[in-house]
Amino acid sequence: MTSEAGPSRLPTLTPLEIPSQHDIVSRPRANSKSKPKSAVDPVLRNALRYTISAREYETLHKYVLSRSRLLRKRMPSVNTVERYMDGGNTRRGSISDRDSGKGKGKEKATNGNGSRGDTYNARVIRDALRVFIATGLGMRAYEMVMARLKAQKEPNMPQKKQPFYKSAGLRLSLSLSTILMLYRLLFRFLSRLRAHLLDQSAAPFRNRNPRTSQALTSPYAPAVGASLAGLALGIYPSQQLRVTVAIAAIFRALEFGWNLLEDEGLIWGWKTRAGGKGMVKRERPWWWGSWMLQPFAFGQILHATVFDRESSPIAFADFVWKNTTTYLRGVPKDLPAGMKWPNAWEIADNLAQMAKLNWPPFVSPTLFPDQETLPSSLAAVAPLTARAHPLITSLSCATLHPSDPSCLRTYLTFWVRSFPRMGRFFLLFYSLLMLPRYKLLYNSPLYLVNRLLSRVLRMSTFATGAISTAWASICFFQTWFPRTFLPTQRIFLGGFLAGLWAWVERKEGRSVFLYSAKTSVDSLWKVGVKRRWWRAMKGGDVWVFVLALAITGAVYERDARAIRESYVRKGVSWVRGAGFRDWGLEEEEEEEDKEE
C-alpha cells in the first residue's frame, strides 16, 4: 500500500540468477587430488591441428589406412583424432555437423564453421606450412637438377656452396607461405571490422568519421587491405624470378579487370535492341584479340636484341638463333687457321653498328682487293664479307646471306629449310601437352589428331613466318628506304611486321602472345632504366605484385565470373580461406534457380 505523500521507496532486488548445470563448478576437497580436464597432451593436439584436419584424416583413414590391417590396428581411429583435436569433448557426428552447418556465401565460408579443434587460425597455419614444405621440396629438386646439368656442361667448374639460411629456395618458400598467412589473417580481420562498422551500434563512429568509415565499409576494403600481404614477396632476393612473378601477376590482374569492364559494357558500350525495347551490350569486334600485342612485343624484343643485348630476353633470342641457320651460317670447313668466325650475338652487334653508321654500302673485297672495304668498327664480320658475292650492294645483305645475291631466294630458302624443323618441334611439344587427354584419344581419335595437326601447322607457320620476316625486313628496307631514313627505328618496324604473323594463330595462340608481351615489358623496363628514361625504384616489383593482388581481389569481389578460368576462381577462394570452391559458378546456379 502507498501513502498520498509519494510512491514507496522499497529497494529493488535483482532477480536471482540460477546457474545451469554446465556452469556449476564443484569445489575440490582438501585431501583430494585435482584431475586434469583432458587426458590429451596439448603438444600432440596442436601438432595434429597444424598437420591435418579431422575431415582430411577421415578421408585418409577411409581410403588408405583402413585398407591395411597393420595400419588399421596401429593408427588411431577417426573418433580418437577428433577427441584429440577437440580436447577430449567431442562426439562422432562432429564432421557431419560441420557439413550441415556450412554457411552460404563467401563471407560465411571465410569466417569458418569448423569445430573447436579445427579453428580458422589452425587452418591458416596448416596451409601455410604445407605451402612452405611443398615449395621447399620443389625448389630443392629444381636446384639439384640444374646443378647436375651444369656439372655435365662444365665439369671443371667449381660449385659455390651457400648457407642454408641464405638459399633462394628457403627464402622463396618463406615468402610464399608468409604471403598466404598474412593475406588470410588480414582479409578475415578487415571483413569482421567491416561487419562491425556496418552494425547499427557503430552509427556514432560512422557519423564522427565519415571518410574513414566509408573506406573501411567498402565491399572492396578487405581485398585491397589484404593485398598488403604481397609485401612479403620482398623476403625473396631481388632476382629475375621475382620480377617475372610480379609481371605475370599484374598481367593476369589487368586481364581480369578488362573482362569485368567488358562484361559491364564499359568498353564497347550498349545498343538498342531490335524493335526499340531495352538495351543490349555490344559484342567484341571479330578482329580484336591478344594477337594485337604481338607486333609491338616482337618489335621491342628485336630492337632490344640488336641495340641492348644485356636487356634482351636471352632464352627468346637463343631460340631465334638456333632456328636461323639460313641467315646465320655456321663455321665453314675451309676457314683458314687463325681467323675467327663471328657468332650470332656478334652479328647482331655489328648490325647495330651498321644502323648507327646509316647502313654503309658494300664494297666487294673480291673486286677491290687493295682497297679498305670495311670500317674498323665492323671488323668482326670481315670473314663473312670476304666471301660475299660481288653483285651484293648492301653491307647487311653481305653479312646475312653472303653466298646468294638474291634476298628473295634467301627468304624462300629459309622457309624450305625451317618449316619442317619447326613442324617436328611443335608436333613433339603439343603431343606431350595432350598426354593428359588420352581418354579423348580413345573416344575420338580422329578429332584429336585433326586438332593436333591443325595446331602444329598454324604454330609452325606463325613461328617460321615471324623469324623469316624479321631477317628479310632488313634487306627489304635496305632496298626501298634511303640510308638515312629511320636507320635504327627500322629494326623495330621489322619486328612489328614479323608480329603480324600472329594473325595465323589468333584463335589459340593466346598463351604465346601473352608470354611474349610479358617478356617485352620486362625488356622494355630494363632498356628504359639503362637509357635513363625512368628511374629504377627499389622494391618496385614488390609493389607491382601488391597492386596485382588488390586488382584481382577487387574484381573477384565485384564479379567472380570476370575470372574466366574456374581453377583460378577456386585458387582465389582458397587463398582467402573460403575453401577450394568455385563461388562464381555457384552464383550463376543461384541466379538460374531464381529465374526459374
Side-chain angles (χ1 to χ4, degrees):
M1 180 179 292
T2 60
S3 62
E4 296 179 0
S8 63
R9 297 185 178 275
L10 295 176
T12 57
L13 299 177
T14 57
L16 180 62
E17 295 181 359
I18 302 177
S20 61
Q21 186 67 22
H22 298 284
D23 297 331
I24 298 176
V25 180
S26 60
R27 180 178 299 177
R29 297 179 182 178
N31 297 330
S32 62
K33 295 182 180 180
S34 60
K35 295 182 180 180
K37 182 179 180 181
S38 175
V40 180
D41 186 5
V43 177
L44 176 61
R45 182 173 65 247
N46 291 332
L48 284 174
R49 286 177 180 176
Y50 299 147
T51 304
I52 190 171
S53 65
R55 186 194 305 276
E56 294 168 347
Y57 185 80
E58 183 186 34
T59 304
L60 180 65
H61 192 277
K62 179 180 179 181
Y63 293 103
V64 179
L65 302 180
S66 61
R67 303 294 177 89
S68 173
R69 294 182 179 179
L70 181 62
L71 293 177
R72 187 168 61 248
K73 292 179 180 180
R74 295 191 175 186
M75 299 302 294
S77 63
V78 178
N79 287 334
T80 305
V81 172
E82 289 185 18
R83 191 178 303 112
Y84 282 166
M85 293 184 178
D86 290 348
N89 297 317
T90 188
R91 61 180 185 275
R92 178 66 186 92
S94 59
I95 294 180
S96 60
D97 293 341
R98 291 198 301 269
D99 292 337
S100 61
K102 285 183 180 179
K104 191 175 184 180
K106 289 178 280 188
E107 294 81 3
K108 293 183 180 180
T110 304
N111 293 334
N113 300 292
S115 64
R116 294 187 299 108
D118 192 20
T119 61
Y120 183 85
N121 292 338
R123 291 197 298 272
V124 169
I125 297 176
R126 183 168 62 239
D127 290 341
L129 287 176
R130 291 177 179 179
V131 170
F132 179 83
I133 295 173
T135 311
L137 293 177
M139 286 296 297
R140 183 60 180 171
Y142 172 77
E143 290 174 356
M144 291 177 62
V145 171
M146 295 304 296
R148 290 278 184 90
L149 295 177
K150 190 176 293 185
Q152 292 178 359
K153 291 182 180 180
E154 302 175 356
N156 298 328
M157 188 72 177
Q159 297 182 359
K160 297 181 180 179
K161 293 186 177 180
Q162 197 176 25
F164 176 72
Y165 63 91
K166 289 186 178 181
S167 64
L170 174 64
R171 297 178 68 174
L172 179 63
S173 304
L174 184 60
S175 174
L176 295 180
S177 58
T178 306
I179 290 173
L180 176 62
M181 184 174 64
L182 290 180
Y183 192 96
R184 287 193 180 182
L185 294 177
L186 286 174
F187 187 82
R188 192 188 191 210
F189 169 75
L190 293 173
S191 298
R192 288 186 167 185
L193 178 62
R194 176 175 177 268
H196 288 311
L197 292 178
L198 289 174
D199 192 74
Q200 187 176 2
S201 60
F205 177 83
R206 295 198 300 268
N207 296 332
R208 290 194 307 269
N209 308 280
R211 293 185 179 180
T212 304
S213 60
Q214 185 179 4
L216 293 177
T217 56
S218 171
Y220 311 110
V224 175
S227 65
L228 293 176
L231 293 175
L233 184 66
I235 298 175
Y236 187 76
S238 181
Q239 297 178 358
Q240 182 60 37
L241 178 60
R242 198 172 84 176
V243 177
T244 303
V245 170
I247 293 177
I250 194 63
F251 259 77
R252 291 294 282 172
L254 294 177
E255 179 187 352
F256 300 151
W258 175 273
N259 294 338
L260 178 63
L261 296 177
E262 204 173 39
D263 292 342
E264 295 186 353
L266 300 178
I267 302 295
W268 311 112
W270 300 78
K271 64 180 181 179
T272 308
R273 288 181 180 270
K277 296 181 179 180
M279 303 290 290
V280 64
K281 184 175 59 178
R282 294 181 183 272
E283 296 294 334
R284 179 191 301 174
W286 62 271
W287 46 266
W288 185 271
S290 57
W291 72 272
M292 300 176 67
L293 297 172
Q294 202 69 1
F296 299 96
F298 271 11
Q300 190 280 326
I301 291 175
L302 183 60
H303 191 275
T305 302
V306 174
F307 293 99
D308 303 281
R309 182 202 295 192
E310 62 278 2
S311 302
S312 62
I314 303 299
F316 200 95
D318 288 341
F319 177 79
V320 175
W321 301 153
K322 291 179 181 179
N323 293 278
T324 318
T325 55
T326 304
Y327 289 96
L328 301 176
R329 297 178 177 272
V331 181
K333 297 181 180 179
D334 57 345
L335 183 68
M339 182 177 291
K340 181 182 178 183
W341 191 261
N343 56 29
W345 285 105
E346 290 175 343
I347 293 176
D349 293 340
N350 281 269
L351 288 175
Q353 189 62 30
M354 292 179 196
K356 295 176 182 178
L357 296 175
N358 293 328
W359 302 100
F362 172 64
V363 179
S364 175
T366 304
L367 299 179
F368 303 94
D370 299 330
Q371 185 177 349
E372 185 177 354
T373 59
L374 278 178
S376 58
S377 58
L378 300 176
V381 295
L384 288 170
T385 57
R387 298 166 173 262
H389 199 280
L391 295 180
I392 297 178
T393 59
S394 173
L395 185 58
S396 60
C397 295
T399 303
L400 296 178
H401 49 91
S403 60
D404 193 346
S406 175
C407 299
L408 180 59
R409 186 164 51 241
T410 304
Y411 178 75
L412 296 178
T413 303
F414 180 90
W415 269 89
V416 173
R417 293 179 179 177
S418 299
F419 186 80
R421 188 187 306 114
M422 287 287 185
R424 290 191 296 268
F425 171 77
F426 286 112
L427 179 62
L428 177 62
F429 178 74
Y430 286 114
S431 298
L432 294 176
L433 292 183
M434 287 189 175
L435 286 179
R437 309 181 63 182
Y438 63 92
K439 293 183 179 180
L440 185 60
L441 179 62
Y442 177 79
N443 297 324
S444 303
L446 294 179
Y447 168 77
L448 187 62
V449 171
N450 182 35
R451 184 176 179 182
L452 173 63
L453 293 179
S454 61
R455 183 75 185 277
V456 168
L457 289 176
R458 289 196 306 270
M459 198 64 194
S460 302
T461 303
F462 162 59
T464 307
I467 297 175
S468 61
T469 303
W471 291 110
S473 63
I474 299 177
C475 300
F476 178 82
F477 295 146
Q478 283 286 88
T479 304
W480 296 100
F481 285 1
R483 289 173 46 196
T484 57
F485 179 72
L486 301 177
T488 58
Q489 290 81 3
R490 64 177 62 181
I491 299 295
F492 175 84
L493 185 58
F496 186 91
L497 295 177
L500 294 177
W501 280 95
W503 173 264
V504 179
E505 186 61 4
R506 65 187 183 279
K507 294 183 179 180
E508 297 184 4
R510 181 172 170 275
S511 59
V512 179
F513 304 152
L514 291 180
Y515 167 75
S516 60
K518 297 171 190 175
T519 306
S520 175
V521 169
D522 183 21
S523 175
L524 178 62
W525 174 260
K526 295 176 180 177
V527 171
V529 172
K530 174 189 172 183
R531 301 193 177 190
R532 297 183 180 180
W533 295 343
W534 44 70
R535 293 183 179 180
M537 177 182 175
K538 187 176 182 180
D541 50 353
V542 177
W543 287 106
V544 170
F545 182 72
V546 171
L547 178 62
L549 290 181
I551 296 175
T552 303
V555 171
Y556 184 81
E557 193 67 36
R558 176 77 176 184
D559 186 5
R561 291 166 294 184
I563 302 177
R564 302 290 188 241
E565 299 85 353
S566 61
Y567 66 89
V568 179
R569 291 196 296 265
K570 293 180 180 178
V572 175
S573 174
W574 179 78
V575 169
R576 288 186 167 196
F580 197 71
R581 299 173 62 180
D582 189 358
W583 295 102
L585 180 61
E586 294 183 9
E587 290 175 359
E588 290 180 358
E589 293 176 354
E590 290 178 3
E591 292 179 359
E592 293 177 358
D593 294 340
K594 290 179 181 179
E595 292 178 358
E596 293 177 358

